[in-house]
Amino acid sequence: MGTKSKMRSFLAVAGVASLALTACSGGGSGSTAGSNSGGDVKTLTVLDSYNNDPDKSILQASIDKCAAQVGVTIDRTTVPGKDRMQTVLQRSSSRTLPDVLMLDNPEVKDVASTGALSALGDYNVDTTAFAGNSLDAVTQDGKVYGAPVPADTLGLFYNKDLLAAAGVEPPKTWDELKAAAAKLTKGDQYGLALSAAATYEGSWQFLPFMWTNGGDETNLDTPQVKEALQLYVDLVNSGSVSKSVINWTQADVKDQFVAGKAAMMINGPWQIPALEASPNVKWDSVQIPINKAGQTPTAPLGGMVWTVPMTGDKAKMAKAAEFVQCTGSKDSQMSLGKARHTVPVRADLHEEYVKEVPTMKTFTQQVENARARTGKLGKDWPKAATTIYTAVQLALTGKASVQDAFAQAAKG
Amino acid sequence: MPNMQRINRESTPPVSAPRNTLSARPRFSRENVTKALFVVPAAVFTVLFFGYPVVKNITMSLQDYTTKTFFTGEAPWVGIKNYATIFGSNLFTPALLNTALFTLGSIAGQFVIGLALATFFKRRFPLSNFLRSMLLLPWLLPLIVGSATWRSILDQDSGILNRSLEGLGVIHDPIPWLTSPAVALSAVILVNIWVGIPFNVTIIYGGLQDIPEELYEAAALDGATGWKAFRNITWPNLRPVVSVVLVLGVVYTLKVLDIILGLTNGGPANATQTLAVRSYQESFINFQFGSGAAYSNVLILISLIFAIIYLRANRRAVDE
């Protein structure tokens, strides 16, 4: 092999490499090439973030049912939840978005505003059966961009044995909460556990108190919001809540509760399987306590949403919409809700659902009154969420007074 | 005759030889092409994997680069607005200060402990090789696992560190390692020192192996042992290695992200925010890729200064 032929093969390799690079950088401008592959759609690609069992296989069963109903096979990819948005962004710039995409509900408006999602109304998907609060998170400029899967929210779990031993009733008001938490704090055991971490998880846990008291994310510098923060500060300063909560995730909170180190906790129904796995902890749940008589416990609405990305393939997009329509059906919502301890987002199912899953009674009521995080602020929600968790951290560490915490946090 | 020719050729002045070769050979001679081929792979690699990202990062920091950009490809030019935003942010100065403290504290701790351990392991004793390889463990452990473990070790109420200190009677009240803004940065530095020790020990131990044993033997005859031997033989001979360890250590430590995210996520109350954390949070939590790129450019600039110091120090060493 002479130098000449070596040179030639080198050039060939270099040529291929540069071609590959141009192919990679192809994404970016212009609209997608609409390659209509005809009405005969056989497979749909699906991307979701239920990457661990049991959720992964539970969702698979639900997907398979709808796939059979609309007559397609499914090519499913799962990514970890924290990588979801990065994957979506990468795939939208390389024009490889899946036919059906699962997003977390606060992400929908942001992604829809980029133009990457198609409105379900364009395919005559009927979304009227969904509860209004669940649609708030997925409606942008009057158009609905996603079909919510059964939802979750936050409530107050309590350890029945510990409360009975201390002669404490599950608290219904903030005063009762403070008194109960103080009474339940002794030795190694704290009265209450919650997450006040420097993440969106911390903001999400603060919302039930803030919203129940009439606070609003459009203006955080109000007495209603500050009263909720004062409650946090009182609970931590009195020693009823560990100072470590500013570093606890909701999983840590659950661990503390299961270990008997917290008599009550703020957490969501997705922890129920873990709680049921430790039968020595007898637990029940109530709604978030209210501050004053007449208030309604209002927690944030959590849960995923099925969307139909703009892939450019019209036939596939129509088929994907059919699939998404199916996931909103009574049957699909009911079976997925039962399997995952999540509440169907159709009011017409709640009575039957509570009958079949009695442990979800509190959370079903809580979901009915829950609020979507992006309902008012849309894609500006992350900024408010950052301000909220920062303010909570400033106040709990004594870096700012309750009065100043939100103003200081907002300066970022 | 052949002999004569050889002598003639050898007697031509060496200076003119290269010029002759140049003028005699065509530009695309086999030799020149071969030379170029040696350079091309490195050049292509550098341009693709260093040049492109750096240029992209700089242009990104001058654009309004958000989630929308990924779908539409449009990133409006905003000039230095992103830099104005980050310099004007309340978090910039604390983040810069924390970055400096974090880097200084980590490097000092890692280096001193690393040097002590490397000197210690220079002596051979039973199990010394085994113990030395065990030291590499923090390096082999995924950082996210390491930081999760440390988070439970440092827990204020039930963490094993506070429990042990209380049991030993060293402290009476639990130390709020990760929950007090006054202590959290020190705790994070502590963990980063733990992570950095293997790197320091490995490189310094390698450097110690290169110091000839005869030097110590000769010095011992003159009565220089122990600390004297270290000061007069080990330290001067170790200098080139030390400069590598320190400069690489600084560059690695500046960009540390996973440990802080795993331990405190920048909290409590922003007490452990560094430039790297700010860059990550702006880009991948708030999806403000423009500001995120601006933060990371500041970080790149600081690293670059240390890289230049390193190169100059190295060049001086070679000149010597």
Side-chain angles (χ1 to χ4, degrees):
Chain A
M1 182 142 158
T3 320
K4 225 177 206 172
S5 67
K6 264 188 207 154
M7 177 74 188
R8 210 173 292 144
S9 55
F10 170 78
L11 284 176
V13 171
V16 171
S18 65
L19 274 180
L21 283 173
T22 21
C24 288
S25 62
S29 57
S31 64
T32 39
S35 57
N36 273 341
S37 62
D40 198 19
V41 177
K42 294 231 164 54
T43 52
L44 290 177
T45 50
V46 172
L47 178 70
D48 66 79
S49 51
Y50 286 9
N51 63 323
N52 285 322
D53 273 328
D55 286 345
K56 186 175 179 180
S57 36
I58 291 173
L59 188 68
Q60 185 69 50
S62 172
I63 289 174
D64 288 345
K65 236 189 242 174
C66 277
Q69 200 172 321
V70 298
V72 291
T73 53
I74 295 290
D75 181 3
R76 180 185 177 202
T77 314
T78 58
V79 293
K82 65 182 181 55
D83 296 343
R84 183 180 50 244
M85 269 304 273
Q86 290 172 40
T87 309
V88 169
L89 293 180
Q90 273 164 9
R91 285 187 166 218
S92 61
S93 78
S94 61
R95 296 287 179 269
T96 51
L97 281 170
D99 299 316
V100 182
L101 170 66
M102 184 183 264
L103 291 172
D104 195 4
N105 77 64
E107 293 160 356
V108 173
K109 289 194 179 186
D110 194 11
V111 178
S113 72
T114 70
L117 301 180
S118 46
L120 296 183
D122 296 354
Y123 312 99
N124 300 318
V125 174
D126 181 19
T127 51
T128 48
F130 292 121
N133 56 357
S134 70
L135 289 177
D136 285 347
V138 295
T139 309
Q140 174 106 321
D141 302 328
K143 287 181 176 169
V144 177
Y145 286 91
V149 306
D152 58 53
T153 185
L154 288 169
L156 180 80
F157 287 84
Y158 63 93
N159 185 319
K160 287 204 277 195
D161 294 342
L162 293 179
L163 264 72
V168 173
E169 286 292 310
K172 292 199 176 63
T173 65
W174 289 7
D175 286 338
E176 287 175 23
L177 178 68
K178 281 193 262 189
K183 215 167 172 191
L184 290 161
T185 302
K186 53 184 170 209
D188 248 8
Q189 173 192 315
Y190 285 102
L192 174 71
L194 49 86
S195 163
T199 58
Y200 292 160
E201 230 173 312
S203 317
W204 147 267
Q205 287 239 334
F206 184 72
L207 286 175
F209 297 100
M210 171 178 136
W211 277 340
T212 299
N213 197 37
D216 197 281
E217 63 273 26
T218 50
N219 180 11
L220 292 168
D221 215 359
T222 61
Q224 289 87 343
V225 178
K226 287 173 188 170
E227 280 166 20
L229 186 56
Q230 188 65 51
L231 172 70
Y232 263 44
V233 171
D234 290 348
L235 285 166
V236 169
N237 285 355
S238 67
S240 311
V241 167
S242 166
K243 284 192 157 59
S244 303
V245 293
I246 55 173
N247 215 17
W248 279 353
T249 64
Q250 298 183 100
D252 295 329
V253 170
K254 179 259 300 169
D255 290 344
Q256 297 285 329
F257 184 78
V258 169
K261 289 188 174 176
M264 302 182 284
M265 69 166 173
I266 305 294
N267 227 320
W270 63 90
Q271 306 287 15
I272 291 178
L275 295 179
E276 284 174 344
S278 32
N280 51 331
V281 179
K282 307 270 184 297
W283 59 272
D284 205 344
S285 64
V286 290
Q287 294 198 59
I288 297 290
I290 55 173
N291 186 18
K292 294 170 196 145
Q295 290 177 339
T296 313
T298 312
L301 185 79
M304 297 288 169
V305 173
W306 286 118
T307 63
V308 178
M310 287 278 193
T311 53
D313 186 331
K314 294 230 166 60
K316 280 200 166 180
M317 282 158 71
K319 205 70 179 173
E322 247 180 83
F323 173 87
V324 167
Q325 166 96 64
C326 167
T327 64
S329 68
K330 280 187 180 177
D331 179 45
S332 181
Q333 289 270 327
M334 197 66 180
S335 55
L336 192 55
K338 279 196 293 194
R340 285 199 66 245
H341 290 93
T342 44
V343 182
V345 283
R346 300 171 57 121
D348 54 353
L349 290 175
H350 287 174
E351 203 174 319
E352 191 193 340
Y353 177 71
V354 174
K355 215 176 279 169
E356 296 200 32
V357 197
T359 51
M360 287 299 290
K361 183 170 179 239
T362 309
F363 289 105
T364 306
Q365 291 167 341
Q366 195 83 77
V367 161
E368 281 170 1
N369 295 319
R371 230 165 106 172
R373 281 158 284 175
T374 50
K376 289 196 175 171
L377 289 179
K379 64 191 181 64
D380 290 329
W381 161 249
K383 209 171 172 192
T386 307
T387 306
I388 291 172
Y389 75 65
T390 309
V392 169
Q393 292 242 323
L394 287 172
L396 289 186
T397 56
K399 288 284 231 183
S401 66
V402 169
Q403 199 59 36
D404 301 338
F406 284 97
Q408 196 174 320
K411 284 187 218 152
Chain B
M1 271 310 262
N3 259 352
M4 280 275 289
Q5 252 180 349
R6 199 189 302 148
I7 289 163
N8 270 347
R9 202 179 283 165
E10 277 173 358
S11 63
T12 43
V15 184
S16 64
R19 199 184 296 155
N20 267 351
T21 336
L22 265 184
S23 57
R25 299 196 176 206
R27 209 166 164 191
F28 293 105
S29 73
R30 183 177 285 197
E31 192 185 325
N32 281 349
V33 168
T34 316
K35 276 184 199 162
L37 283 181
F38 273 109
V39 177
V40 166
V44 168
F45 185 84
T46 313
V47 168
L48 276 185
F49 295 101
F50 293 94
Y52 174 74
V54 168
V55 171
K56 180 81 184 168
N57 211 42
I58 292 172
T59 50
M60 200 185 265
S61 72
L62 302 172
Q63 289 170 318
D64 183 22
Y65 205 105
T66 58
T67 38
K68 202 169 186 168
T69 311
F70 285 86
F71 192 75
T72 60
E74 288 159 16
W77 209 252
V78 292
I80 57 159
K81 193 174 147 238
N82 288 324
Y83 288 95
T85 310
I86 69 158
F87 290 138
S89 156
N90 268 4
L91 288 177
F92 183 80
T93 319
L96 189 66
L97 192 68
N98 286 344
T99 308
L101 289 174
F102 179 76
T103 308
L104 273 176
S106 300
I107 294 294
Q110 289 170 6
F111 181 74
V112 170
I113 299 175
L115 182 63
L117 283 172
T119 321
F120 178 67
F121 278 107
K122 197 168 172 279
R123 301 185 220 174
R124 302 210 157 267
F125 52 89
L127 289 181
S128 66
N129 277 336
F130 172 74
L131 286 176
R132 195 163 49 84
S133 51
M134 289 303 285
L135 270 185
L136 294 180
L137 213 60
W139 215 358
L140 304 177
L141 214 59
L143 283 178
I144 221 71
V145 176
S147 54
T149 312
W150 273 103
R151 212 163 67 89
S152 71
I153 293 174
L154 295 172
D155 186 87
Q156 186 175 352
D157 301 316
S158 47
I160 192 166
L161 185 59
N162 274 348
R163 284 290 168 103
S164 309
L165 291 176
E166 280 172 306
L168 292 169
V170 181
I171 54 168
H172 296 291
D173 294 317
I175 299 176
W177 292 109
L178 298 173
T179 47
S180 155
V183 186
L185 188 64
S186 312
V188 173
I189 291 173
L190 202 76
V191 176
N192 194 49
I193 289 176
W194 170 80
V195 174
I197 287 174
F199 172 74
N200 283 263
V201 172
T202 310
I203 309 270
I204 298 173
Y205 182 80
L208 290 177
Q209 298 299 95
D210 282 345
I211 303 175
E213 203 51 44
E214 298 87 62
L215 291 179
Y216 291 101
E217 286 165 14
L221 289 178
D222 293 334
T225 52
W227 173 246
K228 272 189 178 167
F230 178 83
R231 243 195 71 188
N232 295 309
I233 303 170
T234 312
W235 185 251
N237 279 294
L238 212 52
R239 227 196 60 188
V241 176
V242 168
S243 76
V244 172
V245 168
L246 288 183
V247 175
L248 288 183
V250 167
V251 174
Y252 289 157
T253 310
L254 279 173
K255 68 179 176 65
V256 164
L257 175 68
D258 20 23
I259 297 168
I260 300 181
L261 290 186
L263 285 172
T264 61
N265 211 25
N270 291 322
T272 54
Q273 287 279 1
T274 62
L275 292 177
V277 174
R278 289 305 309 141
S279 173
Y280 171 81
Q281 290 188 336
E282 282 295 321
S283 296
F284 296 108
I285 306 286
N286 302 335
F287 298 116
Q288 296 297 325
F289 292 93
S291 315
Y295 269 112
S296 71
N297 280 332
V298 173
L299 208 52
I300 289 172
L301 195 71
I302 299 174
S303 300
L304 194 67
I305 294 170
F306 281 94
I308 290 170
I309 295 174
Y310 169 66
L311 287 176
R312 301 205 86 178
N314 245 18
R315 193 185 303 155
R316 208 186 311 139
V318 171
D319 288 347
E320 277 168 11

